[in-house]
Amino acid sequence: MDSIADLHVHSCFSDGTMTPAELVDAAAARGVGLLALTDHDLLEGARALRDLPGKKGVSCVPGVELDAMDFGLNFHILGYGVDLDDPCFQAFCRENRERLEEVNRRLIVKMERAGEPVSLAEYEAFTYEPTLGGWTALHYFLSKGLTEKLAGGLSVYGKYSHSYSCVGFPSISEVSGRIHAAGGLAVLAHPGEVIPQEDMAAFRAAVLSAMAQGLDGIECHYSFHPPEVTELCLALCREHGWLVTCGSDCHGGFGRSRVGELPVKAGSLPGIERIAHLIEKGTPE
């Protein structure tokens, strides 16, 4: 447990640019010994990682990142140690992934009605190379000349005041319950990216409200957390005995962070033994 932990990375199966094998290579090169591939609302990348014939000394925990909606905010919940072959959990992830795509379809409809050169039929037939990162809508906007760069498509959502609240994502309680039913641990991802920080007392109260919905821990160490958020979350975990995790949220070339960029050792994370014991078993080496 003296190696670096990175328990939040994404592959080209969702919106990253790297394959699971490339993520393992990058992790090994940066001294990461404990890794979790947590693609958005799908399990295919984690299964591909599980089935890699060799992992270069990198221990891998089955993972996923699930969207939830509570208190008017779009929370992300990390599931660790979930049974990737559980048919009920697979179905739940597929349903959530479909909700995620429905957000984009509804945006396309708004744009089409506003006279933009887009159509839902064209969008649904559109394809792109997954290793370019991002998601279908961003590539579609780029192909239509509506943006100059892939990430520029993010501004389109704001232009149309279009949020993830337009579809019925499940509550934090339901998501955490589903993760637990699949044998996993449920962790609040990057609260500093979700909850407003103008008033830190209100931020603390919001984190406590989220954690009360059945969560097991907080992603305290996160590439884009300001120090005050990290310290507050660590203090809450100490106070309540919650699990502490660490994640880069690496998306490869579609993002600003790298695998293992936070020099946090796995052994320094309170409660990490609860995750370490969920490392894939029976994985071919």
Side-chain angles (χ1 to χ4, degrees), residues 263-277:
V264 178
K265 297 294 182 67
S268 72
L269 296 172
I272 193 62
E273 65 280 355
R274 297 176 65 193
I275 285 182
H277 123 170

Side-chain angles (χ1 to χ4, degrees), residues 17 43 73 95 117 128 130 156 167 177 204 209 214 216 232 234 271 280:
T17 62
L43 303 174
L73 297 172
E95 291 164 4
Y128 68 98
V156 178
V167 298
R204 183 181 189 278
S209 293
D216 303 294
L232 187 153
L234 286 170
E280 296 161 356

Side-chain angles (χ1 to χ4, degrees), residues 115-168:
E116 299 272 18
V118 300
S119 80
L120 183 59
E122 182 182 56
Y123 172 73
E124 291 183 330
F126 180 80
T127 61
Y128 68 98
E129 169 51 51
T131 56
L132 294 174
W135 55 91
T136 308
L138 300 185
H139 286 276
Y140 181 62
F141 299 151
L142 187 63
S143 75
K144 300 296 291 184
L146 297 174
T147 58
E148 294 183 359
K149 295 181 178 180
L150 185 62
L154 296 170
S155 66
V156 178
Y157 294 79
K159 177 181 177 181
Y160 283 89
S161 302
H162 193 70
S163 76
Y164 283 29
S165 63
C166 69
V167 298

Side-chain angles (χ1 to χ4, degrees), residues 222-242:
Y222 178 73
S223 289
F224 308 112
H225 271 173
E228 57 269 27
V229 167
T230 300
E231 291 306 316
L232 187 153
C233 290
L234 286 170
L236 287 175
C237 287
R238 286 193 296 269
E239 180 181 345
H240 295 275
W242 293 326

Side-chain angles (χ1 to χ4, degrees), residues 144-220:
K144 300 296 291 184
L146 297 174
T147 58
E148 294 183 359
K149 295 181 178 180
L150 185 62
L154 296 170
S155 66
V156 178
Y157 294 79
K159 177 181 177 181
Y160 283 89
S161 302
H162 193 70
S163 76
Y164 283 29
S165 63
C166 69
V167 298
F169 282 116
S171 65
I172 295 174
S173 178
E174 181 176 357
V175 170
S176 63
R178 296 285 191 148
I179 289 170
H180 292 152
L185 295 168
V187 170
L188 179 63
H190 47 56
E193 294 286 284
V194 176
I195 303 169
Q197 299 166 39
E198 292 81 4
D199 180 339
M200 290 305 289
F203 177 87
R204 183 181 189 278
V207 171
L208 287 171
S209 293
M211 293 302 297
Q213 309 308 307
L215 297 175
D216 303 294
I218 304 175
E219 185 180 42
C220 300

